[in-house]
Amino acid sequence: MENQSPATAAPSQIISTVHGPIGHIELNRDAKLNALNLDMLNELSRVLRAWAQDSSISLVLLTGRGQRAFCAGGDIADFHAAITTGRHQDFANLLATEFDLDYLISTYPKPLISLAHGITMGGGIGLASHAPVRLVTANATMGMPEAKIGYTPDVGGSHLLASAPGHFGEYYAMSAQSFTGADAVLLGFADVVVTEGFAENILDELDEFVGLNAGEIAAAIEVMHGAPESFALKMDQGWIDHAFGADTPQEVFDRLQHMVHPSAQRAAQQLAANSPTSVASAFYNVRAAREEQDLRSALDRELRLARYLMYRPDLAEGIRAQVIDKDRNPTWSPASLEEVDHAALRSLAEGTED
């Protein structure tokens, strides 16, 4: 018997159902690529906390409806409206709610399975890549694109990036480049790449995993329904580690410009197109996260940086250029890495600000 759980804020955007011992949460905002707003975050938190205490539920599944996206991130049009009308604190409060939800997912007391497909960016990573069991389809498009809009990796993305092999973390954070679901296991954003058939019928396949712990579920799904992961990124690790292992953001950029590898030249162009403040913030953010290797500390650091960046001109300008007007031609301020206030960003990343 299927029971529809009541939703308090936006019932059409979050659908929670119970199938025997399995609780299923679906993001249901397909027209907006399941982008997250405050109502959705609050409802997700409410349902997950209730189910954590419900002894009749043994396993939780989190998916996104629609073919195009698991979750494209936060609703950045809403963010733009907040920071351009003086409602910065509303933006900060939403982020704090989102980060607390991500941490709840990471520490969930029951096996919680996330299934990422299609576009899974920013806030979508926060939901999918901190779960106890992280599944992904090979054709998913994943990443932390914040440097393109004058922001910084958040939702614990800096922690995940810092834990990736070598200096892939700095590369993906500073370039805002995406990667595929097939690459996600190598980078530490997923546990298992699953077949499309399993992903389409996952709810029908989960009964046999009830009663297993998260590690056992991940191992069993990999054996029974795993699809090949990709190791192609290993071919790029040499030039990435050389360039992005530099001591400063400017040195990273300088090394890229002097490298003849075509991919390094493309990375230099990507960094040059992104917000200089965001490129520097991404560098310090990932470096500090690597020193601590703690998700809660990373989330707290990301919130400090967010509170700083939301008052800088680049965030509103970046969202305008990418989402509102879509001219893809932002005017960054400052316009170069040399002019960025590196001391402020370092102190925020390290937690030594006054």
Side-chain angles (χ1 to χ4, degrees):
M1 183 71 174
E2 182 177 297
N3 300 315
Q4 185 77 29
S5 297
T8 58
S12 65
Q13 295 180 350
I14 297 294
I15 298 175
S16 55
T17 52
V18 175
H19 309 263
I22 299 172
H24 184 197
I25 303 176
E26 299 173 274
L27 308 179
N28 186 37
R29 202 184 180 204
D30 182 32
K32 296 289 187 179
L33 301 178
N34 293 325
L36 298 167
N37 56 35
L38 184 59
D39 286 342
M40 295 171 74
L41 295 171
N42 284 333
E43 178 65 2
L44 283 165
S45 298
R46 185 194 70 79
V47 173
L48 285 174
R49 292 183 190 280
W51 285 355
Q53 302 299 319
D54 188 339
S55 60
S56 69
I57 294 178
S58 301
L59 185 155
V60 176
L61 172 66
L62 175 59
T63 63
R65 283 197 171 185
Q67 296 296 314
R68 298 182 299 164
F70 166 72
C71 174
D75 192 327
I76 57 177
D78 285 354
F79 298 167
H80 185 268
I83 62 176
T84 55
T85 58
R87 295 184 290 111
H88 297 79
Q89 190 57 49
D90 290 346
F91 182 26
N93 291 343
L94 181 146
L95 291 176
T97 298
E98 183 175 14
F99 295 3
D100 286 346
L101 170 62
D102 297 329
Y103 190 70
L104 170 64
I105 288 172
S106 77
T107 58
Y108 206 66
K110 299 178 180 181
L112 192 166
I113 302 173
S114 64
L115 173 60
H117 78 283
I119 299 171
T120 302
M121 298 279 186
I125 294 289
L127 298 181
S129 295
H130 297 307
V133 183
R134 308 170 301 168
L135 309 181
V136 66
T137 61
N139 64 358
T141 300
M142 307 180 77
M144 302 300 298
E146 290 80 8
K148 291 182 179 179
I149 61 165
Y151 191 47
T152 194
D154 66 352
V155 299
S158 65
H159 171 73
L160 293 164
L161 291 165
S163 301
H167 291 280
F168 278 118
E170 287 92 336
Y171 166 63
Y172 282 108
M174 298 171 76
S175 70
Q177 183 75 349
S178 61
F179 53 90
T180 70
D183 297 319
V185 175
L186 173 66
L187 293 172
F189 282 70
D191 299 312
V192 183
V193 182
V194 296
T195 64
E196 292 290 339
F198 176 73
E200 291 173 4
N201 301 288
I202 185 169
L203 192 60
D204 297 329
E205 304 280 355
L206 290 184
D207 283 342
E208 59 191 307
F209 303 118
V210 172
L212 302 180
N213 64 37
E216 292 168 339
I217 291 172
I221 289 176
E222 182 172 20
V223 170
M224 299 170 64
H225 305 288
E229 61 184 90
S230 174
F231 297 93
L233 287 178
K234 285 186 174 292
M235 299 292 290
D236 289 321
Q237 189 167 353
W239 71 262
I240 286 175
D241 282 357
H242 172 69
F244 289 87
D247 291 334
T248 67
Q250 185 65 56
E251 189 178 351
V252 169
F253 188 60
D254 291 344
R255 288 186 183 186
L256 287 171
Q257 287 186 305
H258 287 93
M259 294 171 72
V260 297
H261 197 294
S263 295
Q265 289 296 306
R266 285 194 295 272
Q269 293 169 3
Q270 289 162 349
L271 263 64
N274 294 339
S275 159
T277 299
S278 291
V279 167
S281 176
F283 177 89
Y284 299 122
N285 198 356
V286 171
R287 287 289 167 96
R290 187 176 291 122
E291 286 293 317
E292 290 188 342
Q293 289 292 319
D294 179 75
L295 176 58
R296 184 69 259 181
S297 294
L299 291 165
D300 293 343
R301 176 183 307 106
E302 292 164 355
L303 190 55
R304 289 196 301 269
L305 286 164
R307 289 180 182 277
Y308 174 81
L309 294 170
M310 70 175 67
Y311 288 99
R312 307 294 301 175
D314 280 3
L315 181 54
E317 171 64 4
I319 296 175
R320 180 208 62 76
Q322 296 291 340
V323 178
I324 308 300
D325 297 337
K326 299 183 179 180
D327 59 34
R328 308 291 193 267
N329 187 31
T331 300
W332 302 125
S333 178
S336 69
L337 273 172
E338 294 93 336
E339 299 171 276
V340 168
D341 189 344
H342 292 270
L345 292 172
R346 277 196 304 268
S347 66
L348 288 162
E350 295 167 3
T352 59
E353 74 282 5
D354 293 333

